[in-house]
Amino acid sequence: MQLNRSYRSYKALRMTISRKYSIRRTATGLGYFALEPIPKGKRIIEYTGPLISNDEVDKRSGKYFFEVNSRWSIDGSPRSNIARYINHSCRPNAEALISDRRVWIWSRRNIKVGEEITYDYGKDYFEDIIKPIGCRCAKCASRPST
């Protein structure tokens, strides 16, 4: 009986999440979109995954590592981490806030229905990963070519 109740709770949670947000194709891959208005200052989602040492991050390849402090990072690569679909933007509508060893994504402003949720991945990630191939966020993609 307990297993059945837990499954129903999980299914209800999954249905709630799927009604509030959707994953869609974007110019940069897959993106995380709002299906209902999100007010400024609302906690949207947690960036989840196994906690691993930064020494271990240096030994692995991947792009879903989120450093939470000088010793630890979250390996956000499991597909259960829906927050991994939130793309970088140079003009983000959300921000990542670290609390202890957890990462939460919060809205920085009101987000409209159908709008992609984005945050700034930070200087190091931008310089090492994004800049060499060119930023394709909405702000940078709309710039006139020089």
Side-chain angles (χ1 to χ4, degrees), residues 17-18 26 35 40 45-46 62-63 71 74 76 82 91 95 99-100 122 128-129 132 137 140-141 143:
I17 289 170
S18 66
T26 70
L35 293 181
K40 178 181 179 177
I45 193 169
E46 182 178 9
K63 60 181 182 177
R71 293 187 56 203
I74 295 171
I82 305 300
R91 188 179 294 141
E95 61 187 331
S99 176
D100 193 22
D128 296 343
I129 308 295
C137 75
C140 294
R143 283 188 193 153

Side-chain angles (χ1 to χ4, degrees), residues 4-146:
N4 204 8
R5 193 173 321 140
S6 296
Y7 175 73
R8 282 196 308 264
S9 297
Y10 167 75
K11 190 173 177 183
L13 174 63
R14 211 175 97 220
M15 299 265 302
T16 302
I17 289 170
S18 66
R19 276 190 241 131
K20 292 182 179 184
Y21 309 101
S22 69
I23 308 300
R24 298 185 203 156
R25 193 138 311 273
T26 70
T28 57
L30 295 175
Y32 191 66
F33 289 80
L35 293 181
E36 63 181 38
I38 301 171
K40 178 181 179 177
K42 176 145 176 83
R43 186 170 66 187
I44 300 170
I45 193 169
E46 182 178 9
Y47 194 92
T48 62
L51 199 61
I52 61 172
S53 71
N54 290 336
D55 291 337
E56 182 64 26
V57 170
D58 293 339
K59 296 174 191 171
R60 294 187 188 185
S61 63
K63 60 181 182 177
Y64 297 108
F65 299 115
F66 199 115
E67 187 176 302
V68 294
N69 60 36
S70 61
R71 293 187 56 203
W72 299 101
S73 289
I74 295 171
D75 177 359
S77 61
R79 290 209 169 148
S80 59
N81 175 29
I82 305 300
R84 78 187 207 142
Y85 297 109
I86 301 175
N87 288 316
H88 164 80
S89 178
C90 293
R91 188 179 294 141
N93 55 17
E95 61 187 331
L97 299 175
I98 300 167
S99 176
D100 193 22
R101 293 181 184 169
R102 297 175 79 177
V103 176
W104 297 95
I105 309 301
W106 290 76
S107 58
R108 293 179 64 182
R109 61 169 175 77
N110 292 332
I111 299 172
K112 299 174 188 168
V113 171
E115 191 174 352
E116 183 178 8
I117 298 167
T118 60
Y119 65 91
D120 184 341
Y121 284 6
K123 184 177 187 256
D124 291 341
Y125 192 95
F126 185 87
E127 292 293 325
D128 296 343
I129 308 295
I130 297 172
K131 191 175 181 179
I133 60 171
C135 184
R136 295 182 295 174
C137 75
K139 178 186 177 221
C140 294
S142 65
R143 283 188 193 153
S145 299
T146 54

